[in-house]
Amino acid sequence: MTSQRALLSGKRFKTSQLQIFLADTLTIFWGDWLDLRVRIVQVAASGLISPLIYILAFGLGLGSSIKPGSGISGNYDNYLEFILPGMVALSSMTISFGGTTFSICGDRLFSKTFEELLLTPIHPLALHIGKMLAGVVRGLMTSGSVILVALLLTGNWNFLNPLFLLLVVLNCSVFAGLGVIVGLSVRSLESVGLYNNFIIIPMSFLGATFFDPTTLPAALKVVVYLLPLTYASIGLRAAAHLPLSQFPWYSIPILLVIAIALSLWGGYKFAHQQD
């Protein structure tokens, strides 16, 4: 009887701790959302320019010379169809990372309000996840705009199927989590530019957004498949255009594991952050 009471007490304690953790996470997210909700149109439009330029230049311009079965799989009617899912992945990556990084940098380096956040009695992992969720929302706003463009250009409603949207959320989670870590690490805005130039921009072109990675030489495949954006791009492309039997299911656990690993790293960074 005593052991049963102890077990029930332990379960109640764990439930209570989980509720507190979730409440703290949502509190951190809500603080960012109050600032974000007044700039919804600005955020949604800010990451739309680059994908639109790529769509016009590559999809409608250069892409007219790329025929299905030559450079891209015969599963697509044209090159525009091929790159549109990659543009969704690209836009969600860019805004999730950049918006999160600059938000934290602004609090740390300019408004000097970040120290107050570190003093709050909130679990470091909850701090990370709350900030990451705000980055996910930023990425979803912009990628939603690109999805709308894709629907208008192709009429393909698979851009709204649950598998496609799940991959978009996972991609946003990965790069928002990376943005939190970079935002906690940099000492100036110039340093943010370095991360953007050496990580985000190369990944934009090497992350299977414009090409099929299966056509690459073996040495280049190793590099391309080390990038998380690659799994988002090939997964989104398959979810939008290929039958379910050809979907690369490995892309979901890979992105999920990366997001969890970055969350643990981010929680550690928050626990040891000194500003």
Short mmCIF file of all heavy atoms in Angstrom, two decimals, residues 138 194 201:
data_model
loop_
_atom_site.label_atom_id
_atom_site.label_comp_id
_atom_site.label_asym_id
_atom_site.label_seq_id
_atom_site.Cartn_x
_atom_site.Cartn_y
_atom_site.Cartn_z
N ARG A 138 7.89 32.33 -37.07
CA ARG A 138 8.44 33.22 -38.11
C ARG A 138 8.62 32.47 -39.42
O ARG A 138 8.26 32.95 -40.50
CB ARG A 138 9.78 33.80 -37.66
CG ARG A 138 9.71 34.82 -36.54
CD ARG A 138 11.08 35.43 -36.29
NE ARG A 138 11.07 36.35 -35.18
CZ ARG A 138 11.36 36.03 -33.92
NH1 ARG A 138 11.67 34.78 -33.62
NH2 ARG A 138 11.32 36.95 -32.98
N LEU A 194 28.89 36.58 -40.44
CA LEU A 194 29.83 35.50 -40.75
C LEU A 194 29.11 34.15 -40.76
O LEU A 194 29.33 33.33 -41.66
CB LEU A 194 30.97 35.49 -39.73
CG LEU A 194 31.99 36.62 -39.84
CD1 LEU A 194 32.99 36.53 -38.69
CD2 LEU A 194 32.71 36.57 -41.18
N ILE A 201 24.06 30.73 -46.46
CA ILE A 201 24.12 30.94 -47.91
C ILE A 201 24.66 29.71 -48.65
O ILE A 201 24.05 29.27 -49.65
CB ILE A 201 24.96 32.20 -48.23
CG1 ILE A 201 24.20 33.45 -47.76
CG2 ILE A 201 25.25 32.28 -49.74
CD1 ILE A 201 24.92 34.74 -48.00
#
